[in-house]
Amino acid sequence: MPKTNRSQQQPPQQYHVRPIISFYIFALVNLIAAAYAPIQDCDEVFNYWEPTHYLNRGYGLQTWEYSPEFSIRSWGYVVVHAIIGKFGSLLSSKKTVEFYFIRAVLALACAVCESRLFSTISKTLNPRIGIMFMVIMLSSPGMFHASVSFLPSSFAMCTSMLGATAFMDWRGGSKTALGIMWFGLGGIVGWPFSAALIVPFLVEELLLASITDEGLEVARRFIDGTIRSSLMLGLQIAIDAFFYHKIIVVPWRIVSYNIFSGSGRGPDIFGTEPWDFYVRNLLLNFNVWFILAMASGPILIMQYLLRAKSTTKYTLLRSAFFISPFYLWIIIFSAQAHKEERFMYPAYPFLGLNAAIALHTVLSYIGSSDPNTLIGKVPAKLKFLFVSLSVILAIDVGVLRTVGIVTAYRAPFQVYGSLQRPGVAKHGDTVCLGKEWYRFPSSYFLPNGMRARFIKSSFDGLLPGEFNEAKVGFGFFAGTWLVPPGMNDRNIADPGKYVSQ
């Protein structure tokens, strides 16, 4: 096979929506999410908002994962948000301003990644697929909360979008090293398991190397991307060494705990779900778009078999690699006993891409005017009405669920926000958390000087403790390296975490 000149594979395409306009639209919806989306996972509060609060405010709740004894959370990820929060605190002394400022920055960062992927889809595949991708991302409840979540899986979702953008866009030459760097960043700073999403793209690169004379060039790009990722890993190790006072590789510790921890440890002790958990969850968060995403593979095969003249093997092969990450992700995580909604976040953009490709293919078939086919005999107006109503219904269902989430689950923000009113609380007060401790929206919603404490309830697992606030003689952020009492990795309750009623 002749050498492939990637920069000349496809002619330039016109946008139906300019990239800057798509950014404004994504940013608007994400900022609404930043202002109104409830926190859906207590892990976000206790593993990320509370450590950030400790760095910026000097106190906060500490989970066992941040104990130097276990250290399976990286301070590098938290520090970035703490720095952002410091800028937000310049706007007001209210802690909630800092909270929402961090959320707003997350919203804008996600909008940048979404608009980049949108523009690449429009250029590389088809402008109509880009429009469909944007509609799916904007109208889905899943993206509404994932776009502003302070979670490594949300961070990995954003870096995966940038990684996919690099691998998909061959204009100007291959960007393999850049793609590896972005996926590496998501796996190192964010969530190590998210690196699995790069596999189909690497397979495509290796396949091209095997059938062209670009083998050495592909190897060079692989090495380049690996070096970039290694430099980021080195920086993370340095930051964690500063806080933990020891050399550790957090991504490896996360993988080790989740896969090799042995009996009585590991993710399964925090609950398990049946194999179809993600099917039900994604139907709620993406409704018909999830069905289309799952059907994208069979639809592409049918298109090739039934309309071979209009579908080249090259187009089929590239499309197959583009839709593979979502399939790979849902297979891997459906096979795990411990399941959580946030585990799907890195795959959300790929779900949207699969669904957009599938919808585009279906619409191309429905739009056929060939009188020799059954669909070609259906009046154009009737087909347009059917398609329009179907798409509008899918959008409406997604938007209504989003509204339902905001109106039904925003109570913690409102309840704890009332403590900010003058005369309600004073410095040194304590707010006690009982059996619904997991709804606590973080210390950012408590007045300055007020602390959260736990009282005995029906919950019998391990609750967070408090970061050590020692200062004199202990250097900076002593709570990050002093071993707290009563921590364990078996989810065994510690009586020391409770206060007397």
Side-chain angles (χ1 to χ4, degrees):
M1 184 173 178
K3 182 176 180 178
T4 302
N5 188 345
R6 302 189 187 193
S7 63
Q8 298 177 0
Q9 285 299 313
Q10 297 174 348
Q13 300 228 16
Q14 296 297 318
Y15 295 107
H16 286 179
V17 174
R18 292 169 56 199
I20 188 63
I21 300 300
S22 72
F23 167 74
Y24 292 148
I25 297 172
F26 281 125
L28 175 62
V29 173
N30 291 355
L31 287 172
I32 292 174
Y36 294 103
I39 295 177
Q40 301 210 141
D41 195 321
C42 64
D43 192 69
E44 179 179 351
V45 170
F46 295 106
N47 271 328
Y48 302 102
W49 284 113
E50 285 298 309
T52 303
H53 188 276
Y54 167 72
L55 294 183
N56 284 353
R57 302 286 173 164
Y59 62 95
L61 297 173
Q62 180 183 23
T63 62
W64 69 269
E65 291 98 324
Y66 282 93
S67 170
E69 183 180 0
F70 307 106
S71 52
I72 65 169
R73 293 289 181 265
S74 174
W75 282 101
Y77 176 65
V78 175
V79 163
V80 173
H81 296 76
I83 293 172
I84 295 171
K86 273 297 185 183
F87 284 102
S89 65
L90 299 176
L91 302 176
S92 172
S93 60
K94 290 185 177 181
K95 293 192 292 183
T96 50
V97 172
E98 181 178 329
F99 175 90
Y100 284 111
F101 184 82
I102 293 174
R103 265 196 155 193
V105 172
L106 292 175
L108 294 175
C110 184
V112 170
C113 299
E114 289 173 305
S115 60
R116 287 283 294 118
L117 184 54
F118 159 80
S119 65
T120 297
I121 291 170
S122 298
K123 289 187 299 183
T124 305
L125 298 176
N126 188 288
R128 188 166 71 175
I129 296 178
I131 293 292
M132 295 169 184
F133 171 79
M134 182 166 64
V135 168
I136 292 167
M137 299 289 275
L138 291 171
S139 64
S140 299
M143 279 304 302
F144 185 77
H145 53 75
S147 63
V148 295
S149 293
F150 184 1
L151 287 167
S153 51
S154 281
F155 178 79
M157 177 186 73
C158 292
T159 56
S160 294
M161 282 191 273
L162 296 176
T165 295
F167 277 107
M168 292 172 67
D169 187 6
W170 286 353
R171 287 175 172 78
S174 176
K175 304 174 183 65
T176 304
L178 183 62
I180 293 174
M181 185 200 74
W182 283 121
F183 278 109
L185 180 63
I188 293 167
V189 179
W191 195 31
F193 300 104
S194 68
L197 290 166
I198 197 177
V199 172
F201 297 108
L202 294 182
V203 171
E204 181 187 29
E205 292 288 323
L206 292 173
L207 178 61
L208 286 171
S210 68
I211 60 178
T212 67
D213 57 357
E214 292 187 2
L216 291 177
E217 178 61 22
V218 169
R220 185 197 66 78
R221 291 194 291 262
F222 276 33
I223 294 172
D224 185 3
T226 302
I227 291 174
R228 298 186 196 190
S229 300
S230 299
L231 291 174
M232 291 184 290
L233 177 60
L235 178 60
Q236 182 193 55
I237 291 173
I239 294 173
D240 286 328
F242 171 80
F243 286 101
Y244 283 123
H245 283 205
K246 61 180 180 180
I247 301 297
I248 57 170
V249 182
V250 170
W252 164 247
R253 295 179 75 93
I254 294 174
V255 172
S256 178
Y257 178 78
N258 282 277
I259 298 178
F260 308 112
S261 54
S263 178
R265 294 182 173 86
D268 291 1
I269 65 175
F270 299 101
T272 59
E273 298 290 343
W275 70 269
D276 63 340
F277 173 84
Y278 291 126
V279 173
R280 291 180 281 115
N281 180 266
L282 291 173
L283 280 172
L284 282 173
N285 281 321
F286 288 89
N287 58 78
V288 72
W289 308 129
F290 169 64
I291 297 173
L292 282 170
M294 292 298 293
S296 57
I299 287 174
L300 278 177
I301 295 173
M302 290 178 62
Q303 181 194 36
Y304 179 73
L305 295 176
L306 299 178
R307 309 179 72 180
K309 292 183 179 180
S310 61
T311 307
T312 65
K313 290 184 179 180
Y314 168 81
T315 300
L316 178 67
L317 188 61
R318 283 227 81 190
S319 298
F321 283 119
F322 292 164
I323 67 174
S324 294
F326 176 68
Y327 284 118
L328 177 65
W329 191 262
I330 198 168
I331 289 172
I332 291 174
F333 282 89
S334 292
Q336 310 306 311
H338 179 64
K339 299 178 178 67
E340 297 190 39
E341 182 174 332
R342 70 178 187 272
F343 293 173
M344 283 292 110
Y345 287 4
Y348 280 178
F350 297 99
L351 185 157
L353 174 59
N354 283 30
I357 291 174
L359 182 58
H360 170 73
T361 306
V362 171
L363 292 181
S364 297
Y365 173 73
I366 293 177
S368 173
S369 57
D370 185 355
N372 296 320
T373 62
L374 179 62
I375 195 67
K377 297 176 182 179
V378 179
K381 290 184 178 179
L382 183 60
K383 290 190 288 187
F384 176 77
L385 180 63
F386 170 76
V387 170
S388 299
L389 290 178
S390 299
V391 172
I392 291 172
L393 178 62
I395 294 173
D396 286 348
V397 170
V399 172
L400 288 174
R401 175 163 171 77
T402 299
V403 172
I405 290 173
V406 170
T407 55
Y409 295 97
R410 189 174 161 74
F413 284 175
Q414 298 169 331
V415 170
Y416 286 92
S418 65
L419 295 174
Q420 305 284 347
R421 297 173 185 169
V424 174
K426 61 181 183 295
H427 192 279
D429 281 354
T430 298
V431 59
C432 295
L433 309 178
K435 67 177 183 179
E436 295 198 350
W437 58 273
Y438 55 88
R439 300 189 190 278
F440 178 57
S442 84
S443 296
Y444 278 102
F445 285 81
L446 301 180
N448 290 322
M450 175 178 274
R451 308 298 182 95
R453 300 285 193 274
F454 298 99
I455 58 174
K456 183 64 179 176
S457 68
S458 57
F459 179 74
D460 60 357
L462 180 65
L463 289 166
E466 294 180 90
F467 283 104
N468 194 307
E469 298 170 29
K471 291 182 174 62
V472 179
F474 290 93
F476 296 104
F477 308 114
T480 65
W481 62 270
L482 291 175
V483 178
M487 295 296 190
N488 64 81
D489 60 352
R490 295 175 177 268
N491 199 27
I492 300 174
D494 171 37
K497 301 294 189 294
Y498 303 109
V499 296
S500 60
Q501 301 182 41

